[in-house]
Amino acid sequence: WPVHQLSPEFQPSSPPDTATTLLVYRREEADEDVIDFMALTPMLYQVLTLLETAPTAYAAFEEVARPYQMPSVQLQAFAQQTIRDLINQGILRSA
């Protein structure tokens, strides 16, 4: 269910066609913690679940992208930008 979209005006009565995957995270803002969320694409959800076991973040991206036959150059650019964005948002930490 798209719980991040629920409101008095939006109360769905049947499940959506696709699953909703949300990432809930904590960030600091003006010396206080703020709980925030991000809607994830199915591909990014798979990558994030693989990060625990993959030898590198790029290996996780590579494994998820394999069935899509994404060109290596395109995959590398996407992976680098996505990881950079997640680090800048405080969701991931660089090692």
Side-chain angles (χ1 to χ4, degrees), residues 27-57:
R27 61 184 171 80
E28 287 187 33
E29 187 173 293
D31 295 327
E32 69 177 326
D33 286 342
V34 176
I35 303 298
D36 215 341
F37 63 89
M38 173 190 303
L40 301 175
T41 63
M43 181 184 264
L44 185 53
Y45 172 77
Q46 290 177 324
V47 167
L48 292 175
T49 59
L50 286 174
L51 285 178
E52 290 185 282
T53 58
T56 65

Side-chain angles (χ1 to χ4, degrees), residues 2-70:
V3 296
H4 63 298
Q5 296 174 341
L6 295 179
S7 69
E9 295 79 32
F10 182 67
Q11 298 286 317
S13 59
S14 58
D17 292 336
T18 59
T20 301
T21 51
L22 298 175
L23 174 68
V24 179
Y25 62 100
R26 183 184 326 208
R27 61 184 171 80
E28 287 187 33
E29 187 173 293
D31 295 327
E32 69 177 326
D33 286 342
V34 176
I35 303 298
D36 215 341
F37 63 89
M38 173 190 303
L40 301 175
T41 63
M43 181 184 264
L44 185 53
Y45 172 77
Q46 290 177 324
V47 167
L48 292 175
T49 59
L50 286 174
L51 285 178
E52 290 185 282
T53 58
T56 65
Y58 184 74
F61 275 95
E62 199 170 43
E63 184 173 331
V64 170
R66 190 172 298 121
Y68 302 100
Q69 299 177 345
M70 185 181 286

